[in-house]
Amino acid sequence: MEHIRMPKVENVKLLDRLSSRRAVVGTLYLTATHVIFVENGSETRKETWVLHSQISSIEKQAITATGCPLLIRCKNFQVIQLVIPQERDCHDVYISLIRLARPVKYEELYCFSFNPKLDKEEREQGWKLVDLNEEYSRMGVPNNYWQISDVNRDYGVCDSYPTEVYVPKSATAHIIVGSSKFRSRRRFPALSYYCKGNNASICRSSQPLSGFSARCLEDEQMLQAIRKANPGSDFIYVVDTRPKLNAMANRAAGKGYENEDNYSNIKFQFIGIENIHVMRNSLQKMLEVCELKSPSMSDFLWGLENSGWLKHIKAIMDAGIFIAKAVAEEGVSVLVHCSDGWDRTAQVCSVASLLLDPYYRTMKGFMVLIEKDWVSFGHKFNHRYGNLDGDPKEISPVIDQFIECVWQLMEQFPCAFEFNERFLIHIQHHIYSCQFGNFLCNSQKERRELKIKERTYSLWDHLWKNRADYLNPLYRSDHSQTQGTLHPQIAPCNFLYKFWSGMYNRFEKGLHPRQSVTDYLMAVKEETQQLEEELEVLQERLANLQKSQSGDNKVKSKQQDRSKQIGLYTSNNSLANTPQEYSNDLKSFPSRSPSQGDEEDSALILTQDNLKSSDPDLSANSDQESGVEDLSCRSPSGGGCLPSEDSGKDSDEAVFLAG
Amino acid sequence: MEFAELIKTPRADNVVLHRPFHPAVEGTLCLTGHHLIFSSRRQDNAEELWLLHSDIDSIEKRFVGSLGTIVIKCKDLRIIQLDIPGMEECLNIASSIEALSTLDSVTLMYPFFYRPMFEVLEDGWSSFLLEQEFELLSSVTNEWRLSCVNKEFSVCPSYPSVVIVPKCIDDEALRKVALFRHGGRFPVLSYYHKKNGMAMMRSSQPLTGTNGRRCKEDEKLINATLRSGRRGFVIDTRPLNVAQQARAKGGGFEQEVHYPQWRRIHKYIERFNILQESFIKLVEACNDQSHNMDRWLSKLEASNWLTHIKELLTAACLAAQCIDREGASVLVHGSEGTDSTLQVTSLAQIILDPRCRTIRGFEALIVREWLQAGHPFQQRCAQSAYSNSKQKWEAPVFLLFLECVWQIHRQFPCSFEFNEQFLIMLFEHAYASQFGTFLGNNENERAKLKLPQKTMSLWSWVNRPEELIRFQNPLYEANSLVIWPSVAPQSLQLWEGVFLRWNRPSRFLEEAEEERMNIIKYNKELQAKVNALRRQLAEMETDEEAQEE
């Protein structure tokens, strides 16, 4: 609290990026964890809540006649423009936020104060939801070829690896330790995914310290061991996910890549994914395009192309497709690495796993996948997502790119995933929010030292409890699309990589489809379930009635029915966001048939932003556009290109011709 | 003329058909007067492909030894390849296809020969008469009348024989106005907004010329749509400088001095060869099989197609906004009033009028605002993106309109009674069809060709219950509100259903569509069951109570 110079400022203006006419006046509060803007106005008092940990930059802009503008950009792609009347207040808010947005100790993060009112036992249960031991045994290891190694028991070999690592059975501790000494940050080859069907596997590591000529017998034996663990194949692929030039440059620093001459039976392959700095700049450029005030189609497409973002997404996807193909179709094991093996390697291994194994396309499986390839293998969440104040050059949207790859796949395979877009967006949100302990720190070792599991809550448990919100209505576990390996197309004209406005323009609801097919179908499915229940009750009643007409126990049965009936209807009544709420007549389900639609009541406008109450932080962003009437003002891309209410009467034609 | 003269080799065996995402098939190729028929009788994989010659946009042939290959590019953007053994056969077939796909007489087209295999329940030629439209209008306002001034198509050759005009303007005045407007296209009613009584009119440019000619009747006509003291908007689909240049050729625009109650807005919409080029470039980009992302995006951008979509949607939103938000009447025109004008007026109605979002309402819109309004389909849709003919009157004006509807549909997926397939079907039939609906350039030509007597209407076929079912949107929920689409670049997407239709594996998307249908269908079945049970129970209970008493 000592960092808050100014807890409350009144008469602050919150601007709407798309339309200057839609600015609202309210009060700005700074708390220990959030920036809160409360709109004046008696009826709604809309609130906008922003967690300090979401703030990526704060910009004080030149003073205008109306006050001092403050621009806050968030890591979840929200952009907030405030105008504070007094320059001094603005400065105080600015200074406070600068400090609040850059905590220096883990203890300052929200997860240490966030309390979802769960008791100790519930918290522990929550952390047990995702269990990697269970996951490896689901994959089918340990078995004849793979064993769990305790060589990293006390993080003695590699401090960014987990304590429990799966390695080929023939890899002795001597080989592992020897190999680790020949790899950057001692990240030796370890199992990421094992394909039960054909024994092929995906292993991961960092780059070898080969320089121009160095070699290491143990490392060569290690790769040999990986090959032997797949008796069906006489070679393995070694995939270096860096551009060749980068990998070659590393040789000068005593690092580099595997020399095919030194390793027997490997096929070496470069797949050019750019490094974290290129990716950071690329995102930056793309966000600039998203922020353009009223871009023309050319501005937008040119900017999108120029940012290179989709090209990078495609590169990651192509690498995943290559590996999945090697494993599933050729039955060949693959060793993947980049430089340190914690960014591109994590992206590529997890995309490949997702393509290979339908389990990772379920809600639980996806959590397991992130836990396996990202959290446990030491992806540096703290550095990449800037949770604590640190080197800005370490920040890069690595997992964001993986999440986008998943979304692109969902667009191509609409029935293949158990979860929906909202699930991905909320995971992205919480990677930055620090509301849950899952993504704190840079490694398992650090998390254990911080006693994360005793002091914070797990996001997975939270998402799992609200899983109804995250279901893809088109998913059926018995559907052909959910089975087996996914085979996406490669050429852009066959697999159209699209700009993901649901993520990068997430808070600009005016840009999104106004009716969400997903929400609509979820509502229908929910209603269907109620109908099924009611059908059962009715059939029972009918049976009873038929019995009673031949017997004499009708009074009793009737009472029984009524109680059931009431129970059912009250539950209907309490369900929000189902078509039921459009009808007052709870006795009968409103039919969806178009003929029944009468006037305004029938307008079932389901917007994507039905922010679920399940998410305290998200729901607080009450930027809920409701009626269509209200939406219209936001719809034109630039406020200037359509006449506004007042401009129509007296202003000249220039207003309409702009843009 | 006998088609047989054009067919030297009516049949070839051992032909191999190649299509993207399908294994090659061997079979027999037959040519008839109107079709190319490929049939494979292999037991495990019997299939037939029927292609209308008029659907063929261009063909290429090449030879490797005595094996000839014909690549056929269709107006619906599909590309197929046929390997035909025998050089002579191949040459014969190629030249026959070339001749048959470029017949220059309308009356030789397939619709004049097509005999439907279905029973006609409702003759589509009389399904959408302007008289019916007027009847509906009369129930809410009496400010308009039906005029038969164009009965013989003599006042305006591209207008239908009846039009709706303000009641206070007589036929004599209309004749004078027609002389003042390009091609005689005097302002007529396009849409009446029941909610506030505002009207949208459309016309062609006024013939003011360089010396600022005026026409009192024209002024009176359009002023008749204004409420006292209120202003109206003229939306000119040309940029100001083009409108000014038009004066030199006798055209022009409404000048402030003579139309003081009207504000003119220039909202540029691209036309003719620029659109056609853009279309060709886009299709080229979509057929580029390279794996390079940058190249794809830059080709997409360079085609400018999405720019045209955005501009068109913006203009339509503007027209709708003037009517619904400003409470003003609107007159829309460009030069001829047969292309961009119709795009704007019809899209504005999609936004404003829930009826246009139903299947029948949309069909009525196309009849009223495109066919009767004299969009020259025959000229515009003679060729598609693969043709080398480059005639200056070819342009994908109607396709752009359909794509804009698709864009709005994508943003309001529950507000349309029809689905994407319906729009794609209309695109196909506008370019090649067994039905006579899209033949001719206006009602005058259609009457001369006796299309209603000699050909079948597309609507007679589409509106049969068994066909309709394919075009219904399972998510439809009548939405009586005005729907305002977003025109931001982030909100607009390439229409994959048309442009990548033959280039993408469609199975997964089709499965998703099926799944959506099943979810809704199952829900409806359950509803029916529950309702039936409820009724049954209620009856039994009243019976019982009656017995008790």
Side-chain angles (χ1 to χ4, degrees), chain A residues 305 314 476 481 492-494 511 514-515 520 527-528 532 534 554 632 642-643 653 656-657, chain B residues 263-264 266 290-291 318 321 325 411-412 414-415 477 484 491 503 511 515 522-523 527 534 544:
Chain A
E305 182 200 338
K314 178 170 159 42
R476 267 195 291 125
Q481 222 177 100
C493 66
N494 301 333
L511 299 179
R514 304 314 158 76
Q515 296 176 316
Y520 183 89
E527 191 195 71
T528 301
E532 277 170 345
E534 191 186 355
K554 64 191 162 197
S632 63
L642 290 182
E653 284 179 15
F656 305 98
L657 297 169
Chain B
R263 287 170 44 78
R264 210 178 58 249
H266 291 275
S290 97
H291 292 184
L318 175 73
Q321 196 160 359
R325 291 306 164 99
Q411 296 186 29
F412 294 89
C414 308
S415 298
E477 188 97 14
W484 299 103
S491 310
N503 276 342
E511 282 172 356
E515 198 59 41
Y522 179 55
N523 176 278
Q527 260 170 22
R534 274 206 201 110
E544 211 169 315

Short mmCIF file of all heavy atoms in Angstrom, two decimals, chain A residues 305 314 476 481 492-494 511 514-515 520 527-528 532 534 554 632 642-643 653 656-657, chain B residues 263-264 266 290-291 318 321 325 411-412 414-415 477 484 491 503 511 515 522-523 527 534 544:
data_model
loop_
_atom_site.label_atom_id
_atom_site.label_comp_id
_atom_site.label_asym_id
_atom_site.label_seq_id
_atom_site.Cartn_x
_atom_site.Cartn_y
_atom_site.Cartn_z
N GLU A 305 0.96 -8.47 -42.51
CA GLU A 305 2.02 -9.16 -43.23
C GLU A 305 3.39 -8.69 -42.74
O GLU A 305 4.28 -9.48 -42.46
CB GLU A 305 1.89 -8.88 -44.73
CG GLU A 305 2.92 -9.60 -45.57
CD GLU A 305 3.10 -8.95 -46.93
OE1 GLU A 305 2.19 -8.24 -47.39
OE2 GLU A 305 4.17 -9.15 -47.53
N LYS A 314 2.85 -19.98 -38.36
CA LYS A 314 2.92 -21.08 -39.33
C LYS A 314 4.21 -21.88 -39.17
O LYS A 314 4.21 -23.11 -39.28
CB LYS A 314 2.82 -20.51 -40.75
CG LYS A 314 2.94 -21.58 -41.82
CD LYS A 314 2.59 -21.01 -43.19
CE LYS A 314 3.16 -21.83 -44.33
NZ LYS A 314 3.07 -23.27 -44.19
N ARG A 476 -17.64 -34.33 -29.45
CA ARG A 476 -18.17 -35.59 -28.92
C ARG A 476 -16.99 -36.54 -28.87
O ARG A 476 -16.23 -36.65 -29.83
CB ARG A 476 -19.21 -36.17 -29.88
CG ARG A 476 -20.63 -35.77 -29.57
CD ARG A 476 -21.61 -36.65 -30.32
NE ARG A 476 -21.60 -36.42 -31.75
CZ ARG A 476 -21.40 -37.38 -32.65
NH1 ARG A 476 -21.17 -38.63 -32.27
NH2 ARG A 476 -21.39 -37.10 -33.94
N GLN A 481 -13.71 -37.10 -35.81
CA GLN A 481 -12.73 -36.01 -35.83
C GLN A 481 -11.90 -35.96 -34.55
O GLN A 481 -10.82 -35.39 -34.52
CB GLN A 481 -13.46 -34.68 -36.01
CG GLN A 481 -12.78 -33.76 -36.97
CD GLN A 481 -13.57 -32.48 -37.18
OE1 GLN A 481 -13.28 -31.45 -36.60
NE2 GLN A 481 -14.58 -32.52 -38.02
N PRO A 492 -0.70 -22.05 -47.23
CA PRO A 492 -1.62 -21.05 -46.67
C PRO A 492 -2.98 -21.05 -47.34
O PRO A 492 -3.98 -20.74 -46.70
CB PRO A 492 -0.91 -19.73 -46.91
CG PRO A 492 0.49 -20.05 -47.21
CD PRO A 492 0.53 -21.46 -47.73
N CYS A 493 -3.03 -21.41 -48.62
CA CYS A 493 -4.34 -21.35 -49.26
C CYS A 493 -5.19 -22.57 -48.89
O CYS A 493 -6.39 -22.59 -49.12
CB CYS A 493 -4.21 -21.23 -50.78
SG CYS A 493 -3.50 -22.66 -51.53
N ASN A 494 -4.56 -23.59 -48.31
CA ASN A 494 -5.34 -24.74 -47.85
C ASN A 494 -5.64 -24.66 -46.36
O ASN A 494 -6.66 -25.12 -45.89
CB ASN A 494 -4.57 -26.04 -48.10
CG ASN A 494 -4.26 -26.23 -49.56
OD1 ASN A 494 -4.99 -25.73 -50.40
ND2 ASN A 494 -3.20 -26.92 -49.85
N LEU A 511 -15.90 -5.36 -32.55
CA LEU A 511 -15.27 -5.96 -33.73
C LEU A 511 -15.64 -7.43 -33.89
O LEU A 511 -15.37 -8.04 -34.90
CB LEU A 511 -13.74 -5.86 -33.61
CG LEU A 511 -13.16 -4.46 -33.51
CD1 LEU A 511 -11.66 -4.53 -33.38
CD2 LEU A 511 -13.53 -3.66 -34.75
N ARG A 514 -21.58 -10.54 -33.41
CA ARG A 514 -22.50 -10.14 -32.35
C ARG A 514 -23.26 -11.30 -31.76
O ARG A 514 -23.89 -11.20 -30.74
CB ARG A 514 -23.50 -9.11 -32.87
CG ARG A 514 -22.88 -7.91 -33.47
CD ARG A 514 -21.75 -7.40 -32.56
NE ARG A 514 -20.83 -6.62 -33.36
CZ ARG A 514 -21.09 -5.39 -33.77
NH1 ARG A 514 -22.22 -4.84 -33.45
NH2 ARG A 514 -20.23 -4.74 -34.48
N GLN A 515 -23.32 -12.37 -32.51
CA GLN A 515 -23.99 -13.55 -31.98
C GLN A 515 -22.97 -14.66 -32.00
O GLN A 515 -22.26 -14.86 -32.97
CB GLN A 515 -25.19 -13.89 -32.85
CG GLN A 515 -26.25 -12.80 -32.84
CD GLN A 515 -27.39 -13.11 -33.80
OE1 GLN A 515 -27.16 -13.53 -34.93
NE2 GLN A 515 -28.60 -12.87 -33.35
N TYR A 520 -24.75 -20.01 -28.30
CA TYR A 520 -26.10 -20.41 -28.68
C TYR A 520 -26.25 -21.92 -28.54
O TYR A 520 -27.20 -22.41 -27.93
CB TYR A 520 -26.37 -19.98 -30.13
CG TYR A 520 -27.76 -20.29 -30.61
CD1 TYR A 520 -28.80 -19.37 -30.42
CD2 TYR A 520 -28.07 -21.50 -31.24
CE1 TYR A 520 -30.08 -19.65 -30.85
CE2 TYR A 520 -29.35 -21.78 -31.66
CZ TYR A 520 -30.35 -20.85 -31.47
OH TYR A 520 -31.63 -21.14 -31.90
N GLU A 527 -30.59 -26.65 -22.52
CA GLU A 527 -32.04 -26.83 -22.55
C GLU A 527 -32.37 -28.28 -22.86
O GLU A 527 -33.28 -28.86 -22.28
CB GLU A 527 -32.65 -25.91 -23.61
CG GLU A 527 -34.15 -25.84 -23.53
CD GLU A 527 -34.76 -25.23 -24.78
OE1 GLU A 527 -34.76 -25.90 -25.84
OE2 GLU A 527 -35.24 -24.10 -24.70
N THR A 528 -31.62 -28.88 -23.77
CA THR A 528 -31.84 -30.27 -24.13
C THR A 528 -31.73 -31.17 -22.91
O THR A 528 -32.55 -32.05 -22.69
CB THR A 528 -30.80 -30.71 -25.20
OG1 THR A 528 -30.95 -29.87 -26.33
CG2 THR A 528 -31.02 -32.15 -25.60
N GLU A 532 -34.53 -33.55 -21.32
CA GLU A 532 -34.36 -34.98 -21.06
C GLU A 532 -34.84 -35.32 -19.66
O GLU A 532 -35.54 -36.31 -19.45
CB GLU A 532 -32.87 -35.36 -21.20
CG GLU A 532 -32.47 -35.62 -22.64
CD GLU A 532 -30.97 -35.77 -22.82
OE1 GLU A 532 -30.21 -35.40 -21.90
OE2 GLU A 532 -30.56 -36.28 -23.88
N GLU A 534 -36.95 -33.60 -17.85
CA GLU A 534 -38.39 -33.44 -17.74
C GLU A 534 -39.12 -34.61 -18.38
O GLU A 534 -40.13 -35.09 -17.87
CB GLU A 534 -38.85 -32.13 -18.38
CG GLU A 534 -40.31 -31.84 -18.02
CD GLU A 534 -40.89 -30.63 -18.75
OE1 GLU A 534 -40.14 -29.95 -19.46
OE2 GLU A 534 -42.10 -30.40 -18.59
N LYS A 554 -53.96 -42.81 -6.55
CA LYS A 554 -53.67 -41.63 -7.37
C LYS A 554 -53.27 -40.41 -6.54
O LYS A 554 -52.45 -39.61 -6.96
CB LYS A 554 -54.83 -41.28 -8.27
CG LYS A 554 -56.09 -40.87 -7.57
CD LYS A 554 -57.22 -40.82 -8.57
CE LYS A 554 -58.55 -40.86 -7.88
NZ LYS A 554 -59.64 -41.22 -8.78
N SER A 632 -24.62 -0.43 -32.10
CA SER A 632 -24.52 0.19 -33.42
C SER A 632 -23.47 1.28 -33.45
O SER A 632 -22.76 1.44 -34.42
CB SER A 632 -25.86 0.75 -33.82
OG SER A 632 -26.19 1.76 -32.89
N LEU A 642 -19.02 7.42 -40.49
CA LEU A 642 -20.47 7.40 -40.56
C LEU A 642 -20.98 8.61 -39.79
O LEU A 642 -20.35 9.05 -38.84
CB LEU A 642 -21.02 6.13 -39.94
CG LEU A 642 -20.75 4.85 -40.72
CD1 LEU A 642 -21.38 3.68 -40.02
CD2 LEU A 642 -21.27 4.94 -42.13
N PRO A 643 -22.10 9.11 -40.19
CA PRO A 643 -22.57 10.31 -39.51
C PRO A 643 -22.95 9.98 -38.07
O PRO A 643 -23.48 8.93 -37.79
CB PRO A 643 -23.79 10.73 -40.31
CG PRO A 643 -24.23 9.49 -41.00
CD PRO A 643 -23.02 8.66 -41.21
N GLU A 653 -19.92 18.14 -45.28
CA GLU A 653 -19.77 16.80 -45.84
C GLU A 653 -18.49 16.11 -45.45
O GLU A 653 -18.41 14.90 -45.51
CB GLU A 653 -19.84 16.88 -47.36
CG GLU A 653 -21.24 17.07 -47.85
CD GLU A 653 -21.28 17.18 -49.35
OE1 GLU A 653 -20.28 16.83 -50.00
OE2 GLU A 653 -22.31 17.63 -49.85
N PHE A 656 -18.49 12.90 -43.51
CA PHE A 656 -18.86 11.63 -44.12
C PHE A 656 -17.78 11.12 -45.06
O PHE A 656 -17.69 9.95 -45.34
CB PHE A 656 -20.14 11.80 -44.93
CG PHE A 656 -21.25 12.35 -44.10
CD1 PHE A 656 -21.54 13.69 -44.13
CD2 PHE A 656 -21.97 11.52 -43.27
CE1 PHE A 656 -22.54 14.21 -43.36
CE2 PHE A 656 -22.99 12.04 -42.49
CZ PHE A 656 -23.28 13.38 -42.54
N LEU A 657 -17.01 12.06 -45.54
CA LEU A 657 -16.06 11.65 -46.56
C LEU A 657 -14.75 11.19 -45.97
O LEU A 657 -13.91 10.64 -46.65
CB LEU A 657 -15.81 12.81 -47.52
CG LEU A 657 -17.06 13.22 -48.28
CD1 LEU A 657 -16.84 14.53 -49.01
CD2 LEU A 657 -17.49 12.13 -49.24
N ARG B 263 -28.64 16.64 -48.66
CA ARG B 263 -27.19 16.64 -48.47
C ARG B 263 -26.61 15.51 -49.29
O ARG B 263 -27.10 14.38 -49.23
CB ARG B 263 -26.85 16.40 -47.00
CG ARG B 263 -27.12 17.60 -46.12
CD ARG B 263 -26.98 17.20 -44.66
NE ARG B 263 -25.78 16.36 -44.46
CZ ARG B 263 -24.55 16.85 -44.40
NH1 ARG B 263 -24.35 18.14 -44.53
NH2 ARG B 263 -23.53 16.05 -44.20
N ARG B 264 -25.60 15.84 -50.04
CA ARG B 264 -25.02 14.83 -50.91
C ARG B 264 -23.78 14.23 -50.26
O ARG B 264 -22.92 14.93 -49.73
CB ARG B 264 -24.64 15.48 -52.24
CG ARG B 264 -24.71 14.53 -53.42
CD ARG B 264 -24.37 15.24 -54.71
NE ARG B 264 -23.04 15.83 -54.66
CZ ARG B 264 -22.81 17.13 -54.63
NH1 ARG B 264 -23.79 18.01 -54.65
NH2 ARG B 264 -21.57 17.57 -54.59
N HIS B 266 -20.64 11.58 -51.06
CA HIS B 266 -19.98 10.74 -52.07
C HIS B 266 -19.30 9.59 -51.37
O HIS B 266 -18.45 9.77 -50.51
CB HIS B 266 -18.96 11.57 -52.86
CG HIS B 266 -19.62 12.57 -53.75
ND1 HIS B 266 -20.08 12.27 -55.00
CD2 HIS B 266 -19.95 13.87 -53.53
CE1 HIS B 266 -20.64 13.34 -55.55
NE2 HIS B 266 -20.57 14.33 -54.66
N SER B 290 1.92 -22.32 -53.08
CA SER B 290 3.20 -22.17 -52.38
C SER B 290 2.97 -22.14 -50.88
O SER B 290 1.88 -21.88 -50.40
CB SER B 290 3.88 -20.88 -52.81
OG SER B 290 3.61 -19.85 -51.87
N HIS B 291 4.03 -22.43 -50.15
CA HIS B 291 3.89 -22.55 -48.70
C HIS B 291 4.27 -21.27 -47.97
O HIS B 291 4.47 -21.27 -46.78
CB HIS B 291 4.78 -23.70 -48.20
CG HIS B 291 4.29 -25.02 -48.68
ND1 HIS B 291 4.85 -26.21 -48.30
CD2 HIS B 291 3.27 -25.35 -49.49
CE1 HIS B 291 4.20 -27.21 -48.87
NE2 HIS B 291 3.25 -26.71 -49.61
N LEU B 318 -23.95 3.22 -44.09
CA LEU B 318 -24.23 4.65 -44.11
C LEU B 318 -25.67 4.91 -44.55
O LEU B 318 -26.41 5.66 -43.91
CB LEU B 318 -23.26 5.33 -45.06
CG LEU B 318 -23.49 6.82 -45.29
CD1 LEU B 318 -23.09 7.61 -44.07
CD2 LEU B 318 -22.70 7.31 -46.50
N GLN B 321 -27.94 3.85 -41.84
CA GLN B 321 -27.85 4.74 -40.69
C GLN B 321 -28.62 6.04 -40.94
O GLN B 321 -29.28 6.56 -40.05
CB GLN B 321 -26.38 5.03 -40.39
CG GLN B 321 -26.17 5.61 -39.02
CD GLN B 321 -24.74 5.43 -38.55
OE1 GLN B 321 -23.91 4.86 -39.24
NE2 GLN B 321 -24.44 5.93 -37.37
N ARG B 325 -31.21 5.98 -38.15
CA ARG B 325 -30.72 6.82 -37.06
C ARG B 325 -31.03 8.30 -37.27
O ARG B 325 -31.39 9.01 -36.35
CB ARG B 325 -29.22 6.64 -36.88
CG ARG B 325 -28.86 5.29 -36.34
CD ARG B 325 -29.65 5.09 -35.08
NE ARG B 325 -29.69 3.74 -34.64
CZ ARG B 325 -28.91 3.25 -33.69
NH1 ARG B 325 -28.03 4.02 -33.12
NH2 ARG B 325 -29.04 2.01 -33.31
N GLN B 411 -21.31 -12.31 -38.83
CA GLN B 411 -21.36 -11.54 -37.60
C GLN B 411 -22.67 -11.73 -36.85
O GLN B 411 -22.74 -11.49 -35.65
CB GLN B 411 -21.14 -10.05 -37.90
CG GLN B 411 -19.75 -9.78 -38.47
CD GLN B 411 -19.47 -8.30 -38.65
OE1 GLN B 411 -20.00 -7.46 -37.92
NE2 GLN B 411 -18.63 -7.96 -39.59
N PHE B 412 -23.70 -12.13 -37.56
CA PHE B 412 -25.00 -12.41 -36.94
C PHE B 412 -25.48 -13.80 -37.34
O PHE B 412 -26.48 -13.92 -38.07
CB PHE B 412 -26.03 -11.35 -37.34
CG PHE B 412 -25.72 -9.98 -36.83
CD1 PHE B 412 -24.93 -9.11 -37.54
CD2 PHE B 412 -26.22 -9.56 -35.59
CE1 PHE B 412 -24.63 -7.84 -37.06
CE2 PHE B 412 -25.93 -8.29 -35.11
CZ PHE B 412 -25.13 -7.43 -35.84
N CYS B 414 -27.12 -16.10 -36.13
CA CYS B 414 -28.44 -16.61 -35.74
C CYS B 414 -29.57 -15.77 -36.33
O CYS B 414 -30.73 -16.03 -36.05
CB CYS B 414 -28.57 -16.66 -34.22
SG CYS B 414 -27.23 -17.52 -33.41
N SER B 415 -29.25 -14.76 -37.11
CA SER B 415 -30.30 -13.84 -37.57
C SER B 415 -30.74 -14.07 -39.01
O SER B 415 -31.55 -13.31 -39.52
CB SER B 415 -29.82 -12.39 -37.42
OG SER B 415 -29.57 -12.11 -36.07
N GLU B 477 -33.10 -17.63 -35.52
CA GLU B 477 -34.01 -17.17 -34.48
C GLU B 477 -34.44 -15.79 -34.95
O GLU B 477 -33.60 -14.89 -35.01
CB GLU B 477 -33.22 -17.08 -33.18
CG GLU B 477 -34.00 -16.79 -31.96
CD GLU B 477 -34.34 -18.06 -31.20
OE1 GLU B 477 -33.75 -19.12 -31.47
OE2 GLU B 477 -35.22 -17.99 -30.34
N TRP B 484 -26.39 -4.12 -37.08
CA TRP B 484 -25.29 -3.26 -37.55
C TRP B 484 -24.01 -4.06 -37.58
O TRP B 484 -23.45 -4.38 -36.54
CB TRP B 484 -25.13 -2.07 -36.61
CG TRP B 484 -26.35 -1.21 -36.54
CD1 TRP B 484 -27.27 -1.17 -35.54
CD2 TRP B 484 -26.79 -0.27 -37.51
NE1 TRP B 484 -28.26 -0.26 -35.82
CE2 TRP B 484 -27.99 0.31 -37.03
CE3 TRP B 484 -26.29 0.15 -38.76
CZ2 TRP B 484 -28.68 1.28 -37.75
CZ3 TRP B 484 -27.00 1.12 -39.46
CH2 TRP B 484 -28.18 1.67 -38.96
N SER B 491 -12.79 -7.44 -38.61
CA SER B 491 -14.06 -8.15 -38.59
C SER B 491 -14.41 -8.79 -39.93
O SER B 491 -15.40 -9.49 -40.04
CB SER B 491 -15.19 -7.18 -38.21
OG SER B 491 -14.85 -6.46 -37.06
N ASN B 503 -10.21 -25.86 -52.73
CA ASN B 503 -8.80 -25.96 -52.35
C ASN B 503 -8.58 -26.40 -50.93
O ASN B 503 -7.46 -26.46 -50.46
CB ASN B 503 -8.13 -24.59 -52.48
CG ASN B 503 -7.70 -24.34 -53.89
OD1 ASN B 503 -7.60 -25.29 -54.66
ND2 ASN B 503 -7.47 -23.10 -54.24
N GLU B 511 -18.54 -31.77 -41.23
CA GLU B 511 -18.90 -32.53 -40.02
C GLU B 511 -19.38 -31.60 -38.91
O GLU B 511 -20.32 -31.91 -38.19
CB GLU B 511 -17.69 -33.33 -39.52
CG GLU B 511 -17.45 -34.59 -40.33
CD GLU B 511 -16.15 -35.27 -39.95
OE1 GLU B 511 -15.38 -34.74 -39.12
OE2 GLU B 511 -15.88 -36.35 -40.51
N GLU B 515 -22.95 -31.57 -37.08
CA GLU B 515 -23.06 -31.65 -35.63
C GLU B 515 -23.99 -30.55 -35.10
O GLU B 515 -24.83 -30.79 -34.23
CB GLU B 515 -21.66 -31.50 -35.03
CG GLU B 515 -21.50 -31.98 -33.60
CD GLU B 515 -21.84 -33.46 -33.41
OE1 GLU B 515 -21.47 -34.26 -34.27
OE2 GLU B 515 -22.49 -33.78 -32.40
N TYR B 522 -32.10 -32.66 -32.33
CA TYR B 522 -32.39 -33.46 -31.15
C TYR B 522 -33.18 -32.65 -30.13
O TYR B 522 -34.15 -33.12 -29.54
CB TYR B 522 -31.08 -33.97 -30.54
CG TYR B 522 -31.26 -34.79 -29.29
CD1 TYR B 522 -32.10 -35.92 -29.29
CD2 TYR B 522 -30.61 -34.44 -28.11
CE1 TYR B 522 -32.26 -36.67 -28.13
CE2 TYR B 522 -30.77 -35.19 -26.96
CZ TYR B 522 -31.61 -36.30 -26.97
OH TYR B 522 -31.77 -37.03 -25.84
N ASN B 523 -32.80 -31.39 -29.99
CA ASN B 523 -33.51 -30.51 -29.07
C ASN B 523 -34.97 -30.37 -29.48
O ASN B 523 -35.88 -30.43 -28.65
CB ASN B 523 -32.81 -29.15 -29.05
CG ASN B 523 -33.52 -28.13 -28.19
OD1 ASN B 523 -34.48 -27.51 -28.63
ND2 ASN B 523 -33.07 -27.99 -26.96
N GLN B 527 -38.38 -31.49 -27.51
CA GLN B 527 -39.44 -30.53 -27.23
C GLN B 527 -40.80 -31.08 -27.64
O GLN B 527 -41.77 -31.00 -26.89
CB GLN B 527 -39.18 -29.23 -27.99
CG GLN B 527 -38.56 -28.17 -27.14
CD GLN B 527 -38.09 -27.00 -27.97
OE1 GLN B 527 -38.56 -26.79 -29.10
NE2 GLN B 527 -37.17 -26.27 -27.44
N ARG B 534 -47.02 -33.75 -22.15
CA ARG B 534 -47.71 -32.79 -21.28
C ARG B 534 -49.20 -32.76 -21.59
O ARG B 534 -50.03 -32.78 -20.71
CB ARG B 534 -47.15 -31.39 -21.51
CG ARG B 534 -45.94 -31.09 -20.70
CD ARG B 534 -45.87 -29.57 -20.50
NE ARG B 534 -44.51 -29.21 -20.16
CZ ARG B 534 -43.71 -28.54 -20.98
NH1 ARG B 534 -44.14 -28.14 -22.15
NH2 ARG B 534 -42.48 -28.27 -20.62
N GLU B 544 -59.74 -37.45 -15.16
CA GLU B 544 -59.80 -38.05 -13.83
C GLU B 544 -60.57 -37.16 -12.88
O GLU B 544 -61.41 -37.61 -12.11
CB GLU B 544 -58.37 -38.23 -13.34
CG GLU B 544 -58.23 -39.41 -12.43
CD GLU B 544 -56.76 -39.68 -12.19
OE1 GLU B 544 -56.01 -39.65 -13.18
OE2 GLU B 544 -56.39 -39.87 -11.05
#
